[in-house]
């Protein structure tokens, strides 16, 4: 383990596409979506703790979730659980941890990863992360991990890369594309030079701070003005004045799509962003009629290709339905067509309009 290697796990989202299991006060990163006995953030921590020292693993989350993180990751030092005063997307979150680490360790290299992704092959993942750290420690470069696409998924962003490697398995990034339509996704797959964007980044902290200064100068200025307060009792108060001045922008839009020193490592480590109920369906075991069931008390009769999530203490019986998502919680029952899962966010907005925040 290298004492200058760090990880930040981003855990501030509300996971609205996993409603009604994922709620504003207890979102999906803190849930055991796949009935494995571990929550998504616990799996993420476990993955990194094999090659990054515990004291070098940080979690950035919303202030309201700090207690949940402490409860689920008791082995993490309390000082490493960082609360944001408001949700401003990933760029301010990464600026915060970067300025904090720069004060602690000017030689720091950082892996940035979401809390709620599924990675099945931990050995392959570790190997790729160490390759990325090795590359960025020798070059002023930003690495993103790209996933070799299995099918034309329209829910992921895509990375186009140069076919000539600059180092072992490291390629220059040509373009980033947000979620494409199906025809474009098929074209990407056929071309052979596109990867899914896993949203996992690796770089030296000093280099990403320079990139903030170049590409997001206003955000750089507000963090730089208060940088001496990081790692002091004044840090929390400084954030209260910094965050309202930050633009709501992702690191992808803010820096990665503009920088000319971005590289990708094409990877295969059993990755899914677990963004939707269909992604959960894809990663659960199926019965002989292709139903994926999470819950010990579910009976399925003449139903096919359904995604069912139900509490163990409640009997749920499904008969004669096909291709539906059924999610049962103590106060909400969701039944919707699987092909409509991208619209769950709209259904949540409809619930808010009709019922207020009670069920959110």
């Amino acid at each position: 383990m290298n004492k200058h290697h760090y990880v930040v796990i981003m855990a501030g989202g509300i996971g609205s596409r996993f409603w009604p299991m994922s709620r504003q006060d207890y979102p999906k990163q803190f849930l055991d979506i796949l009935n494995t006995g571990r929550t998504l953030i616990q799996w993420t921590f476990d993955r990194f703790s094999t090659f990054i020292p515990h004291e070098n693993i940080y979690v950035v989350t919303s202030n309201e979730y700090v207690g949940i993180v402490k409860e689920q990751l008791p082995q993490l030092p309390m000082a490493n659980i960082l609360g944001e005063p408001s949700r401003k997307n990933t760029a301010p979150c990464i600026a915060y941890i970067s300025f904090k680490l720069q004060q602690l360790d000017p030689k720091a290299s950082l892996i940035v990863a979401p809390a709620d992704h599924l990675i099945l092959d931990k050995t392959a993942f570790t190997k790729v992360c160490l390759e990325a750290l090795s590359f960025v420690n020798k070059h002023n470069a930003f690495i993103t991990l790209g996933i070799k696409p299995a099918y034309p998924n329209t829910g992921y962003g895509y990375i186009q890369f140069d076919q000539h490697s600059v180092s072992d398995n490291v390629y220059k990034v040509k373009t980033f594309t947000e979620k494409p339509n199906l025809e474009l996704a098929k074209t990407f797959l056929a071309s052979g030079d596109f990867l899914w964007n896993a949203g996992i980044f690796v770089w030296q902290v000093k280099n990403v701070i320079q990139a903030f200064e170049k590409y997001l100068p206003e955000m750089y200025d507000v963090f730089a003005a208060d940088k001496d307060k990081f790692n002091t009792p004044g840090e929390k108060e400084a954030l209260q004045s910094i965050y309202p001045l930050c633009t709501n922008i992702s690191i992808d839009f803010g820096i990665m799509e503009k920088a000319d020193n971005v590289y990708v490592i094409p990877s295969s480590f059993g990755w899914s962003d677990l963004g939707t109920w269909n992604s959960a369906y894809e990663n659960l075991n199926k019965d002989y009629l292709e139903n994926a069931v999470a819950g010990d008390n579910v009976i399925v009769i003449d139903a096919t290709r359904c995604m069912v999530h139900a509490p163990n203490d409640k009997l749920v019986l499904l008969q004669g339905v096909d291709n539906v998502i059924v999610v049962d919680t103590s106060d909400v029952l969701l039944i919707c067509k699987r092909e409509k899962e991208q619209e769950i966010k709209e259904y949540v907005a409809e619930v808010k309009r009709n019922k207020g925040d009670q069920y959110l």
Side-chain angles (χ1 to χ4, degrees), residues 189-227:
L189 229 68
S191 74
D193 59 354
F194 282 83
L195 302 163
W196 288 337
N197 185 356
I200 300 169
F201 306 110
V202 188
W203 46 55
Q204 283 190 66
V205 164
K206 65 180 183 185
N207 293 332
V208 83
I209 287 177
Q210 284 176 2
F212 272 99
E213 187 174 16
K214 182 173 181 180
Y215 300 112
L216 291 171
E218 292 169 354
M219 195 176 295
Y220 170 87
D221 288 344
V222 294
F223 276 96
D226 274 338
K227 67 180 181 184

Side-chain angles (χ1 to χ4, degrees), residues 228-246:
D228 293 338
K229 293 180 183 167
F230 289 120
N231 310 302
T232 77
E235 179 175 315
K236 204 172 181 69
E237 188 184 342
L239 292 176
Q240 296 289 350
S241 57
I242 289 169
Y243 265 69
L245 302 174
C246 288

Side-chain angles (χ1 to χ4, degrees), residues 1 42 60 84 110 140 152 167 170 205 209 222 226 235 268 295 303 308 313 325 330 344 352 359:
M1 290 192 182
Q42 287 172 331
V60 178
E84 293 181 287
L110 181 64
N140 179 354
S167 177
V170 178
V205 164
I209 287 177
V222 294
D226 274 338
E235 179 175 315
S268 292
V308 187
D313 59 356
I325 296 165
S330 59
I344 286 178
K352 185 179 174 72
Y359 299 103

Side-chain angles (χ1 to χ4, degrees), residues 23-238:
R23 304 291 178 95
Q24 286 177 1
D25 61 351
Y26 217 93
K28 71 165 179 175
Q29 58 269 31
F30 307 120
L31 301 173
D32 179 8
I33 295 282
L34 299 178
N35 266 23
T36 60
R38 299 285 280 166
T39 67
L40 296 178
I41 195 171
Q42 287 172 331
W43 278 120
T44 304
F45 178 86
D46 294 348
R47 218 164 23 243
F48 286 115
S49 64
T50 60
F51 65 98
I52 301 287
H54 281 192
E55 63 272 18
N56 287 13
I57 299 176
Y58 286 80
V59 173
V60 178
T61 189
S62 175
N63 274 336
E64 64 199 284
Y65 305 144
V66 166
I68 305 175
V69 176
K70 182 172 171 50
E71 181 187 304
Q72 294 204 358
L73 300 176
Q75 61 276 69
L76 197 63
M78 189 61 200
N80 290 27
I81 304 172
L82 310 179
E84 293 181 287
S86 57
R87 290 186 183 88
K88 288 291 185 86
N89 215 319
T90 53
C93 160
I94 290 166
Y96 173 20
I97 187 64
S98 300
F99 275 92
K100 186 176 174 69
L101 287 179
Q102 179 76 338
Q103 301 294 98
L104 284 173
D105 180 1
K107 294 181 178 176
S109 298
L110 181 64
I111 302 172
V112 178
D116 52 4
H117 287 186
L118 177 71
I119 288 167
L120 298 174
D121 188 341
K122 283 203 289 191
T123 305
F125 178 71
T126 301
K127 181 173 179 285
V128 168
C129 287
L130 292 173
E131 285 172 4
L133 286 163
S134 172
F135 187 82
V136 300
N137 287 338
K138 296 178 191 137
H139 306 90
N140 179 354
F142 304 146
I143 291 263
T144 179
L145 303 189
I147 307 300
K148 294 166 187 172
Y151 61 97
N153 190 307
T154 57
Y156 295 155
Y158 284 72
I159 301 164
Q160 185 184 28
F161 64 103
D162 200 330
Q163 293 296 294
H164 302 287
S165 66
V166 296
S167 177
D168 285 347
N169 206 26
V170 178
Y171 298 81
K172 191 92 168 32
V173 169
K174 289 162 81 171
T175 61
F176 287 92
T177 305
E178 275 302 294
K179 301 169 184 175
N181 61 35
L182 185 59
E183 287 311 306
L184 194 54
K186 285 177 178 173
T187 307
F188 287 172
L189 229 68
S191 74
D193 59 354
F194 282 83
L195 302 163
W196 288 337
N197 185 356
I200 300 169
F201 306 110
V202 188
W203 46 55
Q204 283 190 66
V205 164
K206 65 180 183 185
N207 293 332
V208 83
I209 287 177
Q210 284 176 2
F212 272 99
E213 187 174 16
K214 182 173 181 180
Y215 300 112
L216 291 171
E218 292 169 354
M219 195 176 295
Y220 170 87
D221 288 344
V222 294
F223 276 96
D226 274 338
K227 67 180 181 184
D228 293 338
K229 293 180 183 167
F230 289 120
N231 310 302
T232 77
E235 179 175 315
K236 204 172 181 69
E237 188 184 342

Side-chain angles (χ1 to χ4, degrees), residues 8 11 42 53 64 202 235 240 257 261 268 327 335 350-351:
V8 62
Q42 287 172 331
E64 64 199 284
V202 188
E235 179 175 315
Q240 296 289 350
E257 293 183 16
N261 58 336
S268 292
V327 184
I335 303 170
E350 186 69 17
V351 170

